[in-house]
Amino acid sequence: MDMLSNVALAGGLAWASGIRLYATVFVAGMLGRFGYVHLPDGLLPLTDTWVLAVSGVLMLCEFLADKVPAFDSAWDAVHTFIRIPIGTLLAWGVFRDSGAGTQLAAALLGGALVAGTHFTKAGTRALINTSPEPFSNWGASVGEDVSWLGGLYLMWRHPLVLLILLGLFVLLMCWMLPRIVRGLRALRQRLQRLRATLSGSA
């Protein structure tokens, strides 16, 4: 694989892990195992039978959890401590056989991308969950599924296109994250006022 393809693979896996971690591991492993795509040596453990079995089961759990309003936010909160390190490790694995500097750069950039993607997804879904109807949540989840699938396709078939889209996504993410934080802060304040009102009336 050339450098462009490797960079797209590292960035794509990190980004995809921030949205659907277990599905990313399972699909990459299955495609690599059956020879549909070439995986660098550092990602060959994804093709292991046990890795495929565990990630496949967790992929189904992830898919169902993401479709349940409120529970999806709890799932996202727990996976802050799973998606970010694993996504970073996947980006590092692409360049495992490169020099130490390249490996560190891949880990830093991959970690930043998976963290930003995860927090953007989790924060957006938390704000959407303030709506009493479930349809906006389902629509957001399906939209994530479609974007994730499209990203994986571009990662292997059109790496340059993916890198351009990732650059645009990073710009969008930098614009969105401060607004998501302000929205979550306002939501917390409203909940605190509501709790204080209920405590006072009791």
Side-chain angles (χ1 to χ4, degrees):
M1 298 178 70
D2 57 24
M3 180 58 71
L4 176 65
S5 298
N6 280 336
V7 172
L9 180 60
L13 289 175
W15 169 82
S17 297
I19 301 175
R20 299 284 185 269
L21 170 62
Y22 303 118
T24 299
V25 171
F26 179 79
V27 170
M30 287 293 288
L31 292 176
R33 178 154 182 166
F34 290 102
Y36 291 107
V37 300
H38 171 73
L39 295 179
D41 290 345
L43 296 181
L44 289 181
L46 300 183
T47 65
D48 181 80
T49 300
W50 280 107
V51 174
L52 291 173
V54 172
S55 62
V57 172
L58 291 174
M59 176 183 67
L60 295 176
C61 296
E62 183 178 54
F63 178 82
L64 295 175
D66 200 69
K67 302 298 184 290
V68 180
F71 185 76
D72 64 330
S73 290
W75 180 272
D76 284 338
V78 171
H79 281 77
T80 299
F81 306 100
I82 303 174
R83 287 176 183 155
I84 296 175
I86 298 299
T88 302
L89 185 61
L90 291 176
W92 173 86
V94 174
F95 294 95
R96 192 195 69 174
D97 296 328
S98 302
T102 303
Q103 295 172 21
L104 180 58
L108 290 173
L109 291 174
L113 183 56
V114 66
T117 304
H118 165 73
F119 287 122
T120 300
K121 164 189 159 49
T124 301
R125 296 294 289 276
L127 292 175
I128 289 175
N129 281 331
T130 61
S131 173
E133 45 78 29
F135 303 107
S136 54
N137 180 283
W138 295 339
S141 182
V142 172
E144 291 168 4
D145 292 333
V146 173
S147 299
W148 174 81
L149 282 171
L152 289 189
Y153 172 78
L154 293 175
M155 180 176 69
W156 277 299
R157 300 305 180 197
H158 304 284
L160 180 58
V161 175
L162 176 71
L163 289 175
I164 293 172
L165 291 177
L166 283 181
L168 295 174
F169 173 76
V170 169
L171 294 177
L172 177 64
M173 184 173 64
C174 292
W175 179 81
M176 286 183 63
L177 278 175
R179 288 160 176 79
I180 291 172
V181 171
R182 287 197 292 269
L184 292 174
R185 187 180 296 124
L187 175 61
R188 185 183 65 180
Q189 291 172 351
R190 288 200 300 271
L191 291 175
Q192 288 175 341
R193 287 196 295 268
L194 177 61
R195 188 180 300 113
T197 301
L198 293 176
S199 299
S201 61

